[in-house]
Coordinates of all heavy atoms in Angstrom, one line a residue:
S237 N -16.9 -26.3 -44.5 CA -17.7 -27.1 -43.6 C -18.3 -26.1 -42.6 O -17.8 -25.3 -42.1 CB -16.8 -28.1 -42.8 OG -17.4 -28.8 -41.9
D238 N -19.6 -26.4 -42.2 CA -20.4 -25.5 -41.4 C -20.1 -25.9 -39.9 O -20.9 -26.8 -39.4 CB -21.9 -25.7 -41.7 CG -22.7 -24.7 -40.9 OD1 -22.1 -23.8 -40.3 OD2 -23.9 -24.9 -40.9
T239 N -19.2 -25.3 -39.3 CA -18.9 -25.5 -37.9 C -19.1 -24.1 -37.2 O -19.0 -23.0 -37.8 CB -17.5 -26.1 -37.6 OG1 -16.5 -25.1 -38.1 CG2 -17.3 -27.4 -38.4
D240 N -19.2 -24.1 -35.9 CA -19.4 -23.0 -35.1 C -18.1 -22.3 -34.8 O -17.1 -22.9 -34.6 CB -20.1 -23.2 -33.8 CG -21.6 -23.6 -34.1 OD1 -22.1 -23.2 -35.1 OD2 -22.3 -24.2 -33.2
P241 N -18.1 -20.9 -34.7 CA -16.9 -20.3 -34.2 C -16.7 -20.6 -32.7 O -17.6 -21.0 -32.0 CB -17.2 -18.8 -34.5 CG -18.7 -18.7 -34.5 CD -19.2 -20.0 -35.0
L265 N -12.7 -19.6 -36.3 CA -13.7 -18.9 -37.2 C -14.8 -20.0 -37.5 O -15.8 -19.6 -38.1 CB -13.1 -18.4 -38.4 CG -12.4 -17.0 -38.2 CD1 -11.5 -16.7 -39.4 CD2 -13.5 -15.9 -38.2
G266 N -14.6 -21.2 -37.2 CA -15.6 -22.3 -37.6 C -15.9 -22.4 -39.1 O -17.0 -22.8 -39.5
A268 N -15.9 -20.1 -41.3 CA -16.4 -18.8 -41.9 C -15.2 -18.0 -42.4 O -14.0 -18.1 -41.9 CB -17.2 -18.1 -41.0
A271 N -15.7 -12.8 -39.0 CA -16.7 -12.7 -37.9 C -16.7 -11.4 -37.3 O -15.7 -10.6 -37.3 CB -16.3 -13.8 -36.8
A318 N -19.2 -13.5 -30.8 CA -18.8 -13.3 -32.2 C -19.9 -13.8 -33.1 O -20.5 -14.9 -32.8 CB -17.6 -14.0 -32.5
D319 N -20.3 -13.1 -34.1 CA -21.2 -13.5 -35.2 C -20.5 -13.8 -36.4 O -19.9 -12.9 -37.0 CB -22.2 -12.5 -35.4 CG -23.1 -12.2 -34.2 OD1 -23.3 -13.1 -33.4 OD2 -23.6 -11.1 -34.1
A320 N -20.3 -15.1 -36.8 CA -19.6 -15.5 -38.0 C -20.4 -15.0 -39.3 O -21.6 -14.9 -39.3 CB -19.3 -17.0 -38.0
S321 N -19.6 -14.9 -40.3 CA -20.2 -14.5 -41.7 C -21.1 -15.5 -42.2 O -21.9 -15.2 -43.1 CB -19.1 -14.1 -42.6 OG -18.2 -15.2 -42.8
D322 N -21.0 -16.7 -41.8 CA -21.9 -17.8 -42.3 C -23.1 -18.0 -41.5 O -23.9 -18.8 -41.7 CB -21.2 -19.1 -42.4 CG -20.7 -19.7 -41.1 OD1 -21.0 -19.0 -40.0 OD2 -20.0 -20.7 -41.0
G323 N -23.4 -17.0 -40.5 CA -24.6 -17.1 -39.7 C -24.4 -17.7 -38.3 O -25.4 -17.6 -37.5
D324 N -23.4 -18.3 -38.0 CA -23.2 -19.0 -36.8 C -22.7 -18.0 -35.7 O -22.1 -17.0 -36.1 CB -22.2 -20.1 -36.8 CG -22.8 -21.3 -37.6 OD1 -24.0 -21.5 -37.5 OD2 -22.0 -22.0 -38.3
T325 N -23.1 -18.2 -34.4 CA -22.8 -17.3 -33.3 C -22.1 -18.1 -32.2 O -22.4 -19.2 -31.9 CB -24.0 -16.6 -32.8 OG1 -24.6 -15.8 -33.8 CG2 -23.7 -15.7 -31.6
A326 N -21.1 -17.5 -31.5 CA -20.5 -18.0 -30.4 C -20.5 -17.1 -29.2 O -20.4 -15.8 -29.4 CB -19.1 -18.4 -30.6

Side-chain angles (χ1 to χ4, degrees):
S237 180
D238 182 17
T239 62
D240 288 339
L265 279 162
D319 296 333
S321 57
D322 61 5
D324 290 328
T325 296

